[in-house]
Amino acid sequence: MGRNARRATNGSAGTRRRPTVADVARRAGVGQATAARVLGDYGSASPEARAAVLRAAGEIGYTANAVARSMISGRTYSVGVVVADVGIPYFAEVVRGISDAASADGLQVVLVNTDESPAAEIAAVSLFVERRMDGLIAVPAEREHEHLDAAAAAGVPVVLLDRLLPGAAFDAIVINNRRAAAEAVQRLLDAGHRRVAILTSAPPGTERLGSAGDIWTTTERVAGYEAAMRAAGVPNAEWIVRHAGYNRQATRAAALQLLTQARRPTAIFTTDSVATLGVLDAVQEVGARIPADVSLIGFDDAEWATLVRPRLTVVRQPTHELGARAARALIRRIADPAARPRRQTLAASLVDRESVGRAPARVRRLAPT
Amino acid sequence: MGRNARRATNGSAGTRRRPTVADVARRAGVGQATAARVLGDYGSASPEARAAVLRAAGEIGYTANAVARSMISGRTYSVGVVVADVGIPYFAEVVRGISDAASADGLQVVLVNTDESPAAEIAAVSLFVERRMDGLIAVPAEREHEHLDAAAAAGVPVVLLDRLLPGAAFDAIVINNRRAAAEAVQRLLDAGHRRVAILTSAPPGTERLGSAGDIWTTTERVAGYEAAMRAAGVPNAEWIVRHAGYNRQATRAAALQLLTQARRPTAIFTTDSVATLGVLDAVQEVGARIPADVSLIGFDDAEWATLVRPRLTVVRQPTHELGARAARALIRRIADPAARPRRQTLAASLVDRESVGRAPARVRRLAPT
DNA sequence: CTGTTAGCGCCTTCAC
DNA sequence: GTGAAGGCGCTAACAG
């Protein structure tokens, strides 16, 4: 095959000091400044000097030391990214968007998962400041933002993604959650449903509050639900708001309870795809038919949304675009730290498919099979 | 709410020089070394000195500069991670595994997506070397590994993930692809199928070769298919090996062609979940029933595998574990660069569900609806 | 225990 | 165009 099968040393040679500009300069017979100029590609040097330096560099295998450069430039060409969990498709796609836009600008992405733990987020942000990241993109776990303020004050610009922080003056890229949620619930109401439930999956530690915790996104979506229900004249007592734990099992259990209770909802709106997954599990468990027994609309257009039968009506978010915009906003902010914070609200759109049907005339009782 | 609503400055103060150990020392009235010792938490200092330094540091808002530290220690406490695309669930989960194990050891993850482009991978690796990463974890896009050898030679240890590189002396974490594939195909064979097809999704640029390109994983899985077919005595002429492009549409098209051709396969084995998605799309498009018309086994246990009807029989990989092991292997290698390269082969397991059935006595002709 | 003094590798005046 | 020298912020010798 003619492939280069030379044995890799896998770092065992790493203890040997790596050549520096001084080494190159010495070997090329020029001053260190000259070597640095051609190696760093700035200033000017005579063609002869340039050639000599390049040759010497090649011979001894010189590689630039970006750490030393960062020390002088003050830039690391990296952005810190804080999300709950890249393992979740939504975040994975957002991170991909960030990565694309960042690398298009020569920035690398340093990724941290917090699992919505404020402590983990605080630690990550402070580490990012110490490491002199050029900037941060965060999906904040809670409303408290002193740590982000501190980062900004220390000269590390911050861009918020997915969630807004009341009272914080950062650039932010979000979608219009309230409107999108209201629109989805309205679709359900239009189909004649009255007992419409909203199921959210709250991060660990907050679900015990019986609320969605401090997650802005969820709060907004619930607000959208309430607005639509109110506008439709559904009495407050008929509203069904449930917060489950942040995983498929927990949402499945919550949905199971919801579906089998007396005066069960005939339609469910889930605020994220983890919850949607849980509801679908529960639906199958009680043998309910969608949309004959229950109608369903979920947030996020998962790859499997068109695979299940019936295909799911969903609220689609521009995930990749959200990430890309956040990165671009950060890049702008790095270039102009003094600019006024700007919020970009992207549109989420309702994608009609087949999981919404007319409310049943007579509500069939559901029970685990 | 009593929340701290102080205005964030978002980096506008970033132009102001950040305090250094020297500043702290001066203010605390101690020598720079003493200040450095308590701030850096090494050596020893008297309780009084310590207190004074800490107080001073707090007053002027000192933050350590990790870049300067890296310059001296030679360590950046970051690992470079090269994958094709975090947007794909498989990689996302693997990255999460890496991140968990890495952060447990104080290492941060710098993530790069290559979309299987060798050029992008080479650029990323060389950047990682310049940035003095403590180590690299790569899902290599092609068999060529000079760039990885160079990284190792420059003292940046490399760990291979998911794919082996013939002739390269790196630690590697992989699964037993060949065996897992053979086992899956065997299950199909056991159900009486003879015309069993294997569908792979090759990265862009390689599918034109009509092969899976240089992706080791795919090659192995095809080898497993062939081994099983051969062992079952299925004549070579009956084997059906198809390589589609690296996306859902391409695999859908390939599957469509497969399902509607004369003497179509009665069972399909897909080598990754993108391909599985494509096949499912095609199956629905031609109105085929699983497993009555076609049986199906796919690689990777996607979250939706139990959601579709029938539930999918799949080959499950320990994705998170693969990533975690890779990170741990790297950590060990960083500690002991001279150790002998070690390969860890994890087991993928066949998860039996309902997408495999007896081969139909009479093969129903399928056509797009 | 503490302070002084050198660098780490590079870029950047500043004279020449 | 080029070289010498200083310094980025920190740690690592050293003496004291």
Side-chain angles (χ1 to χ4, degrees):
Chain A
M1 285 276 158
R3 290 240 172 59
N4 184 345
R6 150 170 57 103
R7 252 341 203 319
T9 51
N10 205 357
S12 43
T15 39
R16 197 178 52 234
R17 200 177 61 77
R18 286 189 270 220
T20 70
V21 280
D23 297 324
V24 176
R26 204 169 309 119
R27 183 171 240 273
V30 302
Q32 178 169 318
T34 302
R37 277 189 271 259
V38 353
L39 259 14
D41 202 38
Y42 61 93
S44 51
S46 68
E48 305 81 54
R50 168 172 307 276
V53 170
L54 258 19
R55 211 168 62 86
E59 286 169 358
I60 62 179
Y62 168 81
T63 351
N65 184 333
V67 175
R69 282 184 174 162
S70 290
M71 179 121 133
I72 295 169
S73 67
R75 293 208 50 180
T76 53
Y77 295 96
S78 345
V79 303
V81 174
V82 184
V83 298
D85 178 9
V86 246
I88 295 176
Y90 172 75
F91 291 116
E93 285 163 26
V94 165
V95 168
R96 184 45 146 108
I98 292 174
S99 178
D100 286 348
S103 68
D105 227 83
L107 296 175
Q108 280 193 335
V109 168
V110 184
L111 181 70
V112 168
N113 300 106
T114 65
D115 286 318
E116 306 284 7
S117 153
E121 180 178 314
I122 290 169
V125 168
S126 114
L127 206 52
F128 279 149
V129 172
E130 291 194 1
R131 300 238 169 126
R132 299 298 188 257
M133 294 287 121
D134 288 351
L136 305 183
I137 294 176
V139 178
E142 61 170 357
R143 287 181 134 81
E144 222 59 65
H145 57 270
E146 282 174 57
H147 56 304
L148 297 173
D149 290 345
V156 183
V158 174
V159 169
L160 262 26
L161 180 51
D162 184 62
R163 321 219 285 208
L164 240 36
L165 249 25
F170 302 117
D171 295 304
I173 317 292
V174 297
I175 60 159
N176 193 335
N177 290 286
R178 196 182 293 223
R179 193 183 188 302
E183 197 181 339
V185 173
Q186 188 57 50
R187 178 71 88 256
L188 263 8
L189 260 9
D190 286 346
H193 296 275
R194 297 282 286 180
R195 298 195 62 81
V196 176
I198 178 170
L199 178 63
T200 80
S201 63
T206 61
E207 78 273 27
R208 61 177 161 65
L209 304 174
S211 79
D214 267 346
I215 307 293
W216 178 80
T217 315
T218 307
T219 307
E220 286 295 301
R221 292 174 193 175
V222 171
Y225 163 88
E226 296 176 340
M229 294 291 271
R230 186 178 306 113
V234 178
N236 206 296
E238 304 264 295
W239 301 1
I240 306 172
V241 183
R242 281 286 190 294
H243 303 287
Y246 198 41
N247 62 70
R248 186 167 174 174
Q249 274 63 264
T251 53
R252 179 192 135 279
L256 213 50
Q257 197 270 311
L258 225 40
L259 291 170
T260 56
Q261 74 183 19
R263 290 179 60 67
R264 68 164 175 84
T266 59
I268 300 180
F269 172 55
T270 53
T271 58
D272 62 75
S273 72
V274 172
T276 309
L277 235 24
V279 170
L280 253 14
D281 285 339
V283 161
Q284 299 182 341
E285 197 164 335
V286 299
R289 293 154 311 177
I290 297 179
D293 293 319
V294 250
S295 284
L296 178 62
I297 297 184
F299 236 91
D300 295 343
D301 193 14
E303 54 182 7
W304 44 264
T306 55
L307 234 44
V308 295
R309 284 297 103 102
R311 299 181 313 157
L312 258 38
T313 291
V314 300
V315 177
R316 175 191 290 155
Q317 294 194 62
T319 47
H320 187 279
E321 180 70 10
L322 277 165
R325 292 231 191 186
R328 280 188 234 114
L330 183 56
I331 289 164
R332 274 196 304 275
R333 163 97 15 221
I334 289 169
D336 180 9
R340 203 169 135 279
R342 198 159 75 92
R343 178 194 307 177
Q344 291 182 60
T345 303
L346 306 193
S349 53
L350 188 57
V351 180
D352 279 303
R353 292 203 270 251
E354 298 104 34
S355 61
V356 176
R358 296 295 307 173
R362 208 178 148 289
V363 180
R364 185 165 77 92
R365 182 78 199 236
L366 265 18
T369 51
Chain B
M1 286 274 156
R3 289 243 173 56
N4 183 344
R6 148 169 60 101
R7 253 340 207 317
T9 51
N10 205 357
S12 42
T15 39
R16 197 177 54 234
R17 198 177 63 78
R18 286 188 268 222
T20 69
V21 279
D23 296 324
V24 176
R26 205 172 305 121
R27 184 171 237 273
V30 301
Q32 176 168 320
T34 301
R37 276 189 272 259
V38 352
L39 259 15
D41 201 39
Y42 61 93
S44 50
S46 68
E48 304 81 55
R50 170 173 305 276
V53 169
L54 257 20
R55 213 169 59 86
E59 288 170 356
I60 62 179
Y62 168 81
T63 351
N65 184 333
V67 175
R69 284 184 173 161
S70 291
M71 179 119 137
I72 295 168
S73 68
R75 294 207 49 178
T76 53
Y77 294 96
S78 339
V79 303
V81 174
V82 185
V83 297
D85 179 7
V86 248
I88 294 176
Y90 172 74
F91 291 116
E93 286 163 26
V94 165
V95 168
R96 184 43 146 107
I98 292 174
S99 177
D100 287 348
S103 67
D105 227 83
L107 295 174
Q108 281 194 333
V109 167
V110 184
L111 182 70
V112 169
N113 300 105
T114 64
D115 286 319
E116 306 284 6
S117 152
E121 179 178 312
I122 289 170
V125 168
S126 113
L127 206 52
F128 280 148
V129 172
E130 291 193 1
R131 302 256 235 251
R132 298 299 188 257
M133 293 289 120
D134 288 350
L136 306 182
I137 294 176
V139 178
E142 60 169 0
R143 288 180 134 79
E144 222 61 64
H145 57 270
E146 282 175 57
H147 57 305
L148 296 174
D149 291 345
V156 183
V158 174
V159 169
L160 263 25
L161 180 50
D162 183 63
R163 289 137 47 168
L164 239 34
L165 250 25
F170 302 117
D171 295 302
I173 316 293
V174 297
I175 60 159
N176 193 335
N177 290 286
R178 197 182 293 222
R179 193 183 187 305
E183 197 182 339
V185 173
Q186 188 58 51
R187 178 72 87 256
L188 264 7
L189 260 8
D190 286 345
H193 297 275
R194 298 283 289 182
R195 297 196 63 81
V196 176
I198 178 169
L199 178 63
T200 80
S201 65
T206 61
E207 78 273 26
R208 62 176 160 64
L209 304 174
S211 80
D214 267 344
I215 306 294
W216 178 80
T217 315
T218 307
T219 307
E220 286 296 300
R221 291 175 193 174
V222 171
Y225 163 88
E226 295 176 339
M229 293 293 269
R230 187 178 307 113
V234 179
N236 206 297
E238 304 265 294
W239 300 0
I240 306 173
V241 183
R242 282 284 190 295
H243 303 288
Y246 198 40
N247 61 70
R248 187 167 173 172
Q249 273 64 264
T251 52
R252 180 193 135 278
L256 214 49
Q257 197 270 310
L258 225 40
L259 291 171
T260 56
Q261 74 184 15
R263 290 179 60 65
R264 67 163 176 85
T266 58
I268 300 180
F269 171 55
T270 54
T271 57
D272 62 76
S273 72
V274 172
T276 310
L277 236 25
V279 170
L280 253 16
D281 286 340
V283 161
Q284 299 181 341
E285 197 163 336
V286 299
R289 293 154 310 178
I290 298 178
D293 293 320
V294 250
S295 285
L296 179 61
I297 297 185
F299 236 89
D300 296 342
D301 194 14
E303 55 181 7
W304 44 264
T306 56
L307 234 47
V308 295
R309 283 298 102 102
R311 298 181 313 156
L312 258 38
T313 291
V314 300
V315 177
R316 175 193 290 155
Q317 293 194 62
T319 46
H320 187 280
E321 180 69 11
L322 277 165
R325 292 230 191 187
R328 279 188 235 115
L330 183 56
I331 289 163
R332 275 197 303 276
R333 163 95 18 219
I334 290 169
D336 180 9
R340 204 170 135 279
R342 197 159 74 91
R343 178 195 305 178
Q344 290 182 61
T345 304
L346 306 193
S349 53
L350 188 56
V351 180
D352 280 302
R353 289 202 272 253
E354 299 103 36
S355 61
V356 176
R358 296 295 308 172
R362 210 177 147 289
V363 181
R364 186 165 76 93
R365 181 77 198 238
L366 265 18
T369 51

